[in-house]
Amino acid sequence: MNTATVVTDPERQFLGCVLWMPHTTARAVLSGMRATDMADPMCSHVLQLVIEVVAAGHAPEPVTIYARATTTGHAPGEEGRHRLSRWLADTYGHTVQLPDTAWHLKTVVLEAAWRRALAEHAQRLLHAIDHSPTDVLADLADGTGPADDLWARYRAALAPTTPKEVAA
């Protein structure tokens, strides 16, 4: 375990904050979040489990997340269970617990996801610019749906007004 990574990674810190929350608070903070918003595969995996647990009406405690993973086959084998258990324990144990930290980190994670979506879109355009027919290129240029969606969710996260339903 690299403690510095756990403490300085916004995605892990966000998830760590959520792991400490009661159900209703977690539900509000998770509003508008998707597992695909995470760049790190393990963070994405755990966020999906957290979303499922919260959508089922439970607090996202590490033991509940672990139980969900093992009963649904999302932590196969002894090694998979050990890796998830260690990750949850490290993240839970090294999370900074300050008021509103999760809300702030949510915006940090969503902004980073939006920037990645823009970069991916730009890469697709750059790749196609010299080789694609103009109609294909025009469609690619207009195909900003994922980035637009992330932008809207990021803007909504900047000023949460009412608790919303979790995206399951």
Side-chain angles (χ1 to χ4, degrees):
M1 172 202 55
N2 183 346
T3 303
T5 301
V6 176
V7 174
T8 59
D9 180 2
E11 292 182 355
R12 279 189 86 167
Q13 279 295 299
F14 171 74
L15 286 166
C17 288
V18 172
L19 293 174
W20 283 92
M21 293 178 170
H23 172 259
T24 55
T25 307
R27 191 171 191 86
V29 169
L30 290 170
S31 173
M33 295 296 297
R34 297 188 182 123
T36 56
D37 296 337
M38 302 294 193
D40 179 87
M42 189 63 154
C43 289
S44 180
H45 179 74
V46 171
L47 180 56
Q48 182 59 45
L49 292 167
V50 168
I51 288 170
E52 292 171 10
V53 164
V54 171
H58 305 287
E61 298 164 340
V63 69
T64 308
I65 303 304
Y66 180 81
R68 173 75 181 184
T70 58
T71 60
T72 59
H74 286 96
E78 186 177 337
E79 184 179 331
R81 289 188 301 275
H82 177 73
R83 188 172 46 250
L84 176 63
S85 177
R86 181 85 260 155
W87 191 96
L88 287 167
D90 291 344
T91 301
Y92 186 76
H94 291 96
T95 296
V96 178
Q97 289 297 305
L98 297 171
D100 299 324
T101 300
W103 291 102
H104 168 69
L105 290 172
K106 176 180 178 176
T107 64
V108 171
V109 168
L110 287 172
E111 180 185 357
W114 172 67
R115 288 177 181 274
R116 283 192 309 276
L118 285 177
E120 290 167 11
H121 180 69
Q123 286 297 322
R124 281 191 302 276
L125 285 173
L126 285 172
H127 185 290
I129 202 99
D130 291 328
H131 308 293
S132 296
T134 55
D135 57 334
V136 171
L137 193 55
D139 287 343
L140 278 174
D142 291 338
T144 59
D148 294 344
D149 173 63
L150 279 161
W151 176 253
R153 292 188 290 122
Y154 166 68
R155 296 295 297 168
L158 286 173
T161 54
T162 59
K164 298 173 186 135
E165 294 301 309
V166 64

